[in-house]
Amino acid sequence: MLMQQIRKRSPQQGGLICAIALTAYPGEHNQRQALNVGFHKHIRKPVEPETLVNVISRLIY
């Protein structure tokens, strides 16, 4: 619900901020659901720190 509220905001109010869903729920359904509400990426826990850093780097550059 939080991401849906953020995406309703204007770009000046942070509506386009990059977001990663870091979740313990694997599966294609959960991934689609996260992407549909506005997350840019869905990552299942546990995640290696290097993997998380790489994903963040790709989103911000």
Side-chain angles (χ1 to χ4, degrees):
M1 290 174 49
L2 174 63
M3 187 51 59
Q4 291 171 322
Q5 293 297 316
I6 290 171
R7 293 298 179 229
K8 289 179 183 178
R9 294 175 173 235
S10 71
Q12 295 80 10
Q13 294 177 316
L16 297 178
I17 193 168
C18 294
I20 300 170
L22 184 59
T23 177
Y25 302 107
E28 188 177 322
H29 171 74
N30 290 310
Q31 181 178 5
R32 261 187 282 122
Q33 187 177 20
L35 297 176
N36 285 341
V37 298
F39 285 96
H40 292 91
K41 187 77 176 165
H42 174 267
I43 300 176
R44 190 185 85 204
K45 295 188 284 185
V47 61
E48 293 295 324
E50 184 177 341
T51 300
L52 185 56
V53 168
N54 287 334
V55 171
I56 292 169
S57 294
R58 280 183 257 147
L59 282 178
I60 61 175
Y61 295 111

